Amino acid sequence: MLFHATLDANHPGGLRVGGDGVTKTLIISKSIRTIASLMAAVLMAGTLVDGVDAADGGKPAKELFGAMSLPSDTAPTPVGFYAKGCLSGGVAIPTDGPTWQAMRLSRNRRWGTPQLISLVERLSRDAAQKDGWPGLLLGDFSQPRGGPMSSGHASHQVGLDADIWLTPMPDHTMSDAERENLSATSMLKKNAFLTVDDKLWSPARAKLLLRAASYPEVERIFVNPAIKKKLCDTWTGDRTNLGKIRPIYGHDYHFHVRIKCPQGASGCKPQASVPAGDGCDKSLAWWFTNEPWAPPKKDPNAKPPAKPRPVMLSDLPKACSAVLQATSVSERDATFRGDGGSTPPALARSPEPASPASAFAPPSSIPVPSTKPAVN
């Protein structure tokens, strides 16, 4: 039996289902409309030919997801793994809030799960009220429908990752131009190997990082190894959550917050838990050897490596095809309103139909030696 399902444009809430030449319209309630939409998209996206999704047109997944300017009108949930998945029903953090401002608005990467957006707003509020931090400058979260990005991240694909600058928020609302052109400040000392610049570092930054790590829903936080060492050497407070703060390449001007898979998100693949302890051990000392920074040895007899194959839609969880093809929801309706944030009217668009169109992944995605003591 050949079965098909589409949304009926002539009947609000209608789902057209059919088989063996018979088609009927089912009128469904608004409360389950997003579920029906996702079901219909799953069925429409179910044709795979030799492992290649017929809907991708041969385009890499990063092009397909990068072309989506609005989120899917489906239930909010992460799909897949942090570095291999997508975001269903994404919500945006407002561009401005009482204790945050979003940066690089042109990238359209301030989307996430409701759990992530709520966590970031809470962190901004707690850091201001309890730690004296002026406010957060927000970097990249995820794209409206998650998925691979054309630049900058290997992870940030499922709406559970957020980059936050180590530069405090200024005392005025920045213009779009300021948000595009202001440079974040590296915490590293110039012309020195993995050394935090004490003229730039401050106890307030340490409090901000430990505040972020204190929330139970936070899985881990990525920072530069030099920043991790500074925390290990100087933090005199409760070190219970210090182990969540993990050293990684880069991350000297921002920190990367990653939260756990939300409860009930069966399609979300979790990452292995961080090792026990505060992380101020051999796993950190390894970063201060030559090994992590040495270029890979070249075999003069080896053939030139093949060009990496781009990630295709068919490489992602099957539900990502449904997310990509689902109808859109307007930015105004999809903007999270948990803490009084605002989005300028120019950014609030009316609904439009969806058209098909690198913070780091776990260390397995980067060429580090096998002798690395622990997994980040």
Side-chain angles (χ1 to χ4, degrees):
M1 176 178 178
L2 179 62
F3 182 83
H4 60 86
T6 59
L7 295 178
D8 191 337
N10 297 318
H11 296 82
L15 180 69
R16 293 178 61 81
V17 296
D20 290 343
V22 178
T23 301
K24 295 182 179 181
T25 296
L26 302 180
I27 305 302
I28 58 178
S29 67
K30 184 177 181 181
S31 62
I32 62 172
R33 194 175 304 164
T34 58
I35 299 176
S37 175
L38 188 57
M39 289 173 58
V42 168
L43 292 167
M44 290 187 291
T47 55
L48 296 178
V49 181
D50 294 332
V52 178
D53 194 313
D56 66 16
K59 293 182 179 180
K62 63 182 180 182
E63 294 185 17
L64 299 176
F65 283 94
M68 306 306 293
S69 61
L70 294 171
S72 60
D73 189 9
T74 51
T77 188
V79 180
F81 188 63
Y82 300 94
K84 189 177 182 180
C86 59
L87 172 61
S88 170
V91 296
I93 191 166
T95 56
D96 298 288
T99 47
W100 77 85
Q101 294 186 47
M103 305 298 288
R104 309 294 192 261
L105 300 180
S106 64
R107 295 182 182 180
N108 197 21
R109 294 177 179 179
R110 55 188 179 89
W111 300 84
T113 60
Q115 293 85 357
L116 178 71
I117 305 305
S118 178
L119 183 282
V120 171
E121 292 192 3
R122 179 185 174 190
L123 171 60
S124 74
R125 181 176 61 251
D126 288 349
Q129 295 176 353
K130 301 175 182 179
D131 303 320
W133 189 254
L136 303 181
L137 295 182
L138 308 180
D140 287 352
F141 289 17
S142 291
Q143 298 176 131
R145 305 192 187 200
M149 296 183 183
S150 61
S151 63
H153 307 279
S155 60
H156 289 253
Q157 295 192 27
V158 295
L160 301 177
D161 295 282
D163 285 348
I164 299 174
W165 288 21
L166 286 164
T167 303
M169 188 179 80
D171 60 1
H172 66 280
T173 300
M174 290 183 286
S175 66
D176 287 358
E178 285 180 283
R179 297 172 198 245
E180 294 295 329
N181 299 317
L182 179 67
S183 296
T185 302
S186 171
M187 296 293 105
L188 300 187
K189 191 173 184 178
K190 294 182 179 179
N191 303 318
F193 176 69
L194 285 186
T195 303
V196 168
D197 190 337
D198 289 330
K199 294 180 180 179
L200 298 173
W201 184 253
S202 64
R205 290 180 169 86
K207 289 180 181 180
L208 176 62
L209 288 168
L210 269 297
R211 175 71 60 189
S214 71
Y215 302 121
E217 55 265 56
V218 170
E219 171 68 36
R220 65 195 70 207
I221 295 173
F222 295 110
V223 298
N224 187 271
I227 294 176
K228 172 69 176 185
K229 184 176 186 300
K230 173 62 73 172
L231 294 173
C232 289
D233 292 345
T234 62
W235 185 252
T236 58
D238 185 355
R239 298 170 76 93
T240 302
N241 297 303
L242 187 54
K244 288 185 181 181
I245 302 178
R246 313 300 298 170
I248 197 69
Y249 296 102
H251 295 73
D252 52 296
Y253 62 89
H254 75 275
F255 60 102
H256 174 165
V257 176
R258 172 169 292 172
I259 68 171
K260 299 176 182 178
C261 288
Q263 186 175 5
S266 59
C268 181
K269 183 178 179 181
Q271 187 173 355
S273 299
V274 298
D278 61 10
C280 303
D281 50 24
K282 291 182 179 179
S283 64
L284 175 60
W286 177 82
W287 288 95
F288 292 84
T289 67
N290 292 329
E291 192 172 9
W293 316 100
K297 295 181 180 180
K298 294 183 179 180
D299 182 354
N301 300 316
K303 295 181 179 179
K307 185 178 180 180
R309 174 182 171 275
V311 175
M312 306 299 288
L313 181 58
S314 56
D315 296 320
L316 302 179
K318 290 184 178 180
C320 290
S321 293
V323 170
L324 195 66
Q325 297 185 45
T327 54
S328 301
V329 62
S330 72
E331 184 168 330
R332 182 185 296 277
D333 291 341
T335 298
F336 192 82
R337 303 292 178 185
D339 195 25
S342 63
T343 296
L347 291 175
R349 295 180 288 268
S350 301
E352 61 185 41
S355 56
S358 146
F360 278 74
S364 59
S365 68
I366 53 179
V368 298
S370 59
T371 55
K372 187 177 187 303
V375 178
N376 282 310

